[in-house]
Amino acid sequence: MVSMGKPSKSHLWAPLFRLSLLCFLGFSGVLAQTPIFACDTASTPSLANFGFCNTSWGTAARVEDLVKRLTLDEKVGFLVNKATAVSRLGIPSYEWWSEALHGVSYVGPGTKFSSLVPGATSFPQVILTAASFNTTLFETIGKVVSTEARAMHNVGLAGLTFWSPNVNIFRDPRWGRGQETPGEDPLLASKYAAGYVKGLQKATKPDQLKVAACCKHYTAYDLDSWKGIERYTFNAVVTKQDLDDTFQPPFKSCVTDGNVASVMCSYNQVNGVPTCADPDLLAGTVTKQDLDDTFQPPFKSCVTDGNVASVMCSYNQVNGVPTCADPDLLAGTSSVPEKKKYLPTPGPTGIEKIILAGLDLNCGSFLGKHTQAAVKAGKLTEGDVDKAITNNFVVLMRLGFFDGDPRKQEYGSLGPKDVCTATNQELAREAARQGIVLLKNDDDALPLDPKSITSMAVIGPNANVTKTMIGNYEGTPCKYTTPLQGLTAIVSTVYQPGCTDVGCTGNSLQLDAAKAAAAKADVTVLVVGADQSIEREGFDRVNLLLPGQQPTLVTEIAKAAKGKVILVIMSGGPFDISFAKSDDRISSILWVGYPGEAGGAALADIIFGYYNPSGRLPVTWYPESFADKVPMTDMRMRPDPSTGYPGRTYRFYTGDVIYSFGDGLSYNEYAHHLVQAPKLVSIPLEEGHSCYSKRCKSVDAVGSRCENVAFDIHLRVENPGRMAGSHTVFLFSTPPSVHNSPQKHLLGFEKIYLGPQGVGNVVFKVDVCKDLSLVDELGNRKVALGSHILHVGSLKHSLKVRV
């Protein structure tokens, strides 16, 4: 990881940055075997005379040289998503939009599959990978995805800039895009964000990028379309406290820990202002770090390695102002005026407001059509246009786009042989195994012994699905293994869909045949849940019940079944399955998310005990009453007892739950033992501080008082069982009741592998000002004074923090 310097007052991010957007990246020929790149000096030797093609120069100098060579007409061509070619300088047309949420995707014009590369490894949807709570896995998947992306780029089928990952907080269980996120916890989302970004971007040299990632959607975005309320116009009213301690941490981690190349703003407004138009919001989240000496004005928009390089604004407003239309917000970032109603009337008048506000790239043709006229009319200077295009070139320089043929560069040996390798596909299976969550296992019904099973009924609308398993923002997978295929590979099965689709309306319910199959089988596996017709981008749920007649299907099959009944929920978001949880005839329940291309094989591995389940829920599963009482539009995280508002997520929610964040069973019962932990920690304050003479509830978590105020917690973890397995150790803290503090919050997690009767050690390093602090009502980070209760499983340890 490349370290980043401390913020400098002279180099604050908001006033300095005019960040470019990562927009569409695509290629014209689906079957093309020649990658697109600039500075092809082998074919056109004269290009070597251009400074921007000279790889011995620094990035800043190369970008300056390039911008100076462009005419105004050519510069305007780089303000739109499909950047125009400049053949006289050896620069091809470039399209900026590709996706890689959980594998190289065909969503967006930047990536194509063909007979040359017919598919790429499709990993589990993010919500299931997050359930593994394995930071090493997050980064490893990113590395594989970037390798396959580079391999496809080398044959002209993929870009180098990818709008991933989605690190929004999964605040509301009805959100259609919750499946794309790492869940509801800020720490988990932050760890996932940094890990996946590192996997995608990390190159041999710190100033280079393997591919460019983009953390999205900034910020407080988790409503798409709910009861007539649309993301494009939704104003998310968020307190400063909730913003800073819930919604912002993943984006800060993207920048400070992941060194992400870009950040994409969200559709909505926050407190009446578009997310891409509020300098205070942006400066407080992704702060510009010290600039390298090589990046001096006029290249103030350029960034050193690891700093934010681009931001895209959203459709929505923030606090009442469209994100793409507020110059104060855009002064610290850039945006895309995707909603024409947010734009001035076509023509030169008004263009200057957008460009001067910070717009660098327009996903569309608007700026390409009218910017030149605005310059000629004196509304803009050509220098303003220069500022708007510079960062786009910086990103491409760091990716090696201007270094000549990529096949002769560091990743040049990669090609179709490096996509869908056996190793990559096995990683997809392993990721699914690590994420799958065992929620119920009465009387140790699982694992099953295949030798004792002569017949298995496999029933349900998701029992033999393919595309459903990979969720949204998907690509063409290498192959599919459905649940039915995975189980059939081990025992003899009889398949009945039960419902023809997940909607499971009265007409599609095929109950009789399914009941007959269950009545004859030794074991019945029911695979139900959702798909993109139930939850997706642009479509939120209105309730938390299994769709249509699925509850009837599950209950009736359980009544008719001769043997054990295993219920499998395939979904991105949670459901109220209390009826199944309390049904003694249903022995076991598993949640498999959208498990990716190898999901069926991974499910079979767990059901038959070839793998010990270790996944834990990354979101709270609420009862249906939550959806009845709590509108999606209420952004408050904290409860309000005076009105009965229950709050949200495990950190604040005060109501009943079906399953809690972190729930998940194993085939073993792991034991935790506290080996070492302090009982007292003192915060050093400067001489004469008022908290020495009066009782303070908290102190500011800033400055020298936070230096070296840390401690370790040592734990011994035991696996007394006869089966090897991985186990996630969670460290939670319940802080003192000040500043509307959380009921508890996650300080850390570690995944440990233990053999039968194995013993291992886990050490948590706790930074008091970072890990034990909380955000007060004004958005200031404080260390609460008093008793903090640390939790590890059933263990509790009291730690007093004082001055």
Side-chain angles (χ1 to χ4, degrees):
M1 180 182 74
V2 179
S3 62
M4 303 177 69
K6 295 181 180 179
S8 168
K9 292 183 179 179
S10 63
H11 291 140
L12 290 178
W13 187 73
L16 277 185
F17 269 65
R18 299 176 47 83
L19 302 182
S20 60
L21 304 178
L22 290 187
C23 284
F24 308 88
L25 181 143
F27 304 111
S28 57
V30 173
L31 297 178
Q33 296 190 43
T34 301
I36 288 182
F37 58 94
C39 297
D40 186 0
T41 56
S43 299
T44 310
S46 61
L47 295 177
N49 296 323
F50 296 139
F52 69 86
C53 290
N54 189 334
T55 58
S56 68
W57 286 21
T59 299
R62 295 177 72 185
V63 171
E64 180 182 14
D65 180 79
L66 172 56
V67 172
K68 286 181 176 179
R69 293 180 186 276
L70 297 171
T71 67
L72 176 61
D73 183 59
E74 291 167 341
K75 291 174 182 178
V76 168
F78 291 102
L79 292 172
V80 294
N81 60 279
K82 189 171 179 60
T84 55
V86 182
S87 57
R88 69 181 184 86
L89 298 180
I91 303 173
S93 175
Y94 190 78
E95 182 73 64
W96 280 81
W97 179 18
S98 287
E99 300 277 359
L101 183 67
H102 51 104
V104 180
S105 170
Y106 49 57
V107 176
T111 301
K112 303 290 188 295
F113 292 99
S114 72
S115 58
L116 188 62
V117 182
T121 308
S122 185
F123 292 93
Q125 182 60 289
V126 175
I127 193 68
L128 189 71
T129 296
S132 72
F133 284 88
N134 186 340
T135 55
T136 300
L137 180 65
F138 304 159
E139 185 169 350
T140 301
I141 291 175
K143 289 179 180 178
V144 169
V145 174
S146 61
T147 293
E148 294 196 346
R150 272 285 180 173
M152 293 178 66
H153 174 70
N154 286 346
V155 292
L157 293 175
L160 293 172
T161 50
F162 292 85
W163 291 0
S164 303
N166 181 341
V167 298
N168 290 117
I169 295 296
F170 195 174
R171 173 192 61 102
D172 192 288
R174 293 161 287 190
W175 188 30
R177 301 190 74 173
Q179 60 182 289
E180 304 173 27
T181 75
E184 70 181 35
D185 180 71
L187 178 68
L188 173 59
S190 297
K191 295 287 189 182
Y192 179 85
Y196 192 64
V197 166
K198 288 177 184 176
L200 288 176
Q201 292 192 163
K202 191 174 182 179
T204 303
K205 297 180 180 179
D207 60 337
Q208 295 178 339
L209 296 169
K210 189 176 180 186
V211 301
C214 175
C215 287
K216 60 186 186 183
H217 312 80
Y218 179 63
T219 184
Y221 166 52
D222 57 2
L223 181 151
D224 269 58
S225 180
W226 180 79
K227 295 186 177 182
I229 299 168
E230 300 294 326
R231 60 186 179 176
Y232 310 118
T233 55
F234 175 57
N235 176 28
V237 179
V238 187
T239 68
K240 181 66 173 173
Q241 186 174 32
D242 285 342
L243 193 67
D244 287 351
D245 83 348
T246 294
F247 298 107
Q248 305 298 65
F251 293 98
K252 290 183 179 180
S253 185
C254 273
V255 175
T256 60
D257 300 324
N259 297 325
V260 74
S262 64
V263 174
M264 179 191 294
C265 299
S266 56
Y267 294 113
N268 54 288
Q269 304 170 44
V270 173
N271 300 325
V273 182
T275 60
C276 296
D278 187 332
D280 295 329
L281 181 67
L282 293 175
T285 300
V286 272
T287 303
K288 178 66 183 78
Q289 308 296 313
D290 288 338
L291 294 174
D292 186 273
D293 289 341
T294 60
F295 292 93
Q296 296 294 331
F299 304 107
K300 62 184 180 182
S301 63
C302 300
V303 295
T304 56
D305 58 277
N307 289 315
V308 177
S310 61
V311 176
M312 183 175 78
C313 73
S314 55
Y315 291 110
N316 56 288
Q317 305 170 35
V318 172
N319 300 326
V321 182
T323 61
C324 301
D326 188 325
D328 293 330
L329 179 63
L330 294 177
T333 180
S334 66
S335 69
V336 178
E338 300 208 46
K339 281 293 182 183
K340 300 302 183 190
K341 66 181 180 181
Y342 295 163
L343 293 176
T345 303
T349 301
I351 281 286
E352 76 282 357
K353 295 180 181 179
I354 301 174
I355 299 261
L356 293 175
L359 180 71
D360 295 320
L361 194 148
N362 168 208
C363 288
S365 59
F366 188 82
L367 293 185
K369 292 178 179 178
H370 304 298
T371 300
Q372 193 167 359
V375 173
K376 291 181 179 179
K379 302 290 185 178
L380 286 172
T381 68
E382 190 167 347
D384 296 324
V385 178
D386 292 348
K387 294 175 184 178
I389 63 173
T390 292
N391 259 335
N392 297 334
F393 291 137
V394 171
V395 173
L396 294 178
M397 287 286 182
R398 296 180 66 200
L399 287 164
F401 186 78
F402 288 93
D403 293 350
D405 193 337
R407 293 168 297 186
K408 298 178 181 179
Q409 298 178 37
E410 181 178 2
Y411 304 107
S413 63
L414 297 175
K417 64 178 174 48
D418 300 293
V419 183
C420 286
T421 65
T423 299
N424 293 355
Q425 292 186 65
E426 179 58 28
L427 181 63
R429 182 171 179 169
E430 174 65 15
R433 286 191 296 234
Q434 289 198 30
I436 290 173
V437 183
L438 178 62
L439 292 170
K440 178 181 178 181
N441 197 29
D442 289 351
D443 301 320
D444 295 327
L446 294 178
L448 300 177
D449 180 2
K451 296 179 181 178
S452 66
I453 298 172
T454 58
S455 64
M456 171 182 283
V458 183
I459 298 169
N462 279 340
N464 198 33
V465 292
T466 53
K467 191 173 181 179
T468 297
M469 295 197 303
I470 58 178
N472 70 351
Y473 280 84
E474 75 285 4
T476 303
C478 309
K479 62 181 181 181
Y480 286 111
T481 303
T482 72
L484 177 62
Q485 291 170 335
L487 296 168
T488 301
I490 299 173
V491 297
S492 176
T493 61
V494 175
Y495 167 61
Q496 288 291 337
C499 293
T500 56
D501 56 61
V502 293
C504 202
T505 60
N507 294 333
S508 70
L509 185 63
Q510 301 172 347
L511 196 54
D512 290 341
K515 288 170 65 177
K520 296 178 182 178
D522 297 328
V523 176
T524 296
V525 177
L526 271 160
V527 191
V528 298
D531 63 12
Q532 300 306 302
S533 70
I534 304 297
E535 53 182 1
R536 67 178 183 274
E537 182 175 5
F539 190 81
D540 301 320
R541 288 189 279 155
V542 295
N543 63 57
L544 299 177
L545 302 175
L546 286 173
Q549 297 298 307
Q550 285 192 37
T552 299
L553 174 66
V554 172
T555 300
E556 291 302 312
I557 294 299
K559 290 179 182 178
K562 180 181 75 172
K564 298 176 181 178
V565 177
I566 314 301
L567 177 63
V568 178
I569 310 295
M570 185 181 294
S571 69
F575 286 98
D576 181 346
I577 56 169
S578 52
F579 76 96
K581 180 180 180 181
S582 61
D583 192 335
D584 293 337
R585 293 164 299 200
I586 297 176
S587 305
S588 304
I589 301 175
L590 296 123
W591 174 68
V592 300
Y594 294 123
E597 65 172 43
L603 175 63
D605 288 340
I606 286 178
I607 285 179
F608 289 105
Y610 302 132
Y611 189 92
N612 198 340
S614 63
R616 300 293 182 264
L617 288 181
V619 290
T620 301
W621 286 39
Y622 301 87
E624 171 63 8
S625 59
F626 179 92
D628 293 337
K629 298 177 182 178
V630 180
M632 278 193 76
T633 52
D634 194 326
M635 299 293 293
R636 291 177 294 168
M637 299 303 299
R638 288 159 168 80
D640 183 355
S642 67
T643 62
Y645 180 69
R648 294 176 181 274
T649 77
Y650 81 95
R651 299 169 69 223
F652 303 104
Y653 177 65
T654 56
D656 296 330
V657 300
I658 307 303
Y659 290 106
S660 298
F661 173 88
D663 277 358
L665 304 172
S666 169
Y667 295 148
N668 301 326
E669 291 287 341
Y670 295 91
H672 309 100
H673 304 277
L674 182 62
V675 176
Q676 178 184 326
K679 293 184 178 181
L680 176 66
V681 173
S682 296
I683 305 293
L685 302 179
E686 56 272 23
E687 186 177 352
H689 193 283
S690 61
C691 287
Y692 283 131
S693 58
K694 68 177 183 179
R695 185 176 180 181
C696 293
K697 294 181 179 179
S698 63
V699 295
D700 291 328
V702 296
S704 60
R705 70 186 59 160
C706 289
E707 295 176 4
N708 302 317
V709 183
F711 59 87
D712 292 345
I713 295 178
H714 295 257
L715 297 157
R716 186 174 71 254
V717 185
E718 296 180 357
N719 172 17
R722 293 176 294 177
M723 187 175 184
S726 294
H727 174 63
T728 297
V729 182
F730 294 108
L731 175 63
F732 290 98
S733 170
T734 296
S737 296
V738 297
H739 304 306
N740 296 315
S741 60
Q743 300 173 121
K744 67 174 183 177
H745 64 110
L746 188 61
L747 300 187
F749 57 88
E750 291 289 340
K751 196 150 192 172
I752 183 173
Y753 178 84
L754 296 173
Q757 288 82 50
V759 178
N761 297 309
V762 171
V763 178
F764 288 104
K765 296 183 180 298
V766 180
D767 182 315
V768 173
C769 285
K770 178 181 178 182
D771 301 318
L772 289 183
S773 62
L774 48 84
V775 176
D776 71 7
E777 295 83 350
L778 300 177
N780 301 309
R781 188 154 289 277
K782 304 276 191 174
V783 176
L785 302 177
S787 180
H788 295 248
I789 307 300
L790 304 181
H791 309 254
V792 177
S794 60
L795 290 178
K796 291 186 179 181
H797 175 76
S798 180
L799 170 70
K800 186 174 182 179
V801 178
R802 70 178 187 185
V803 296

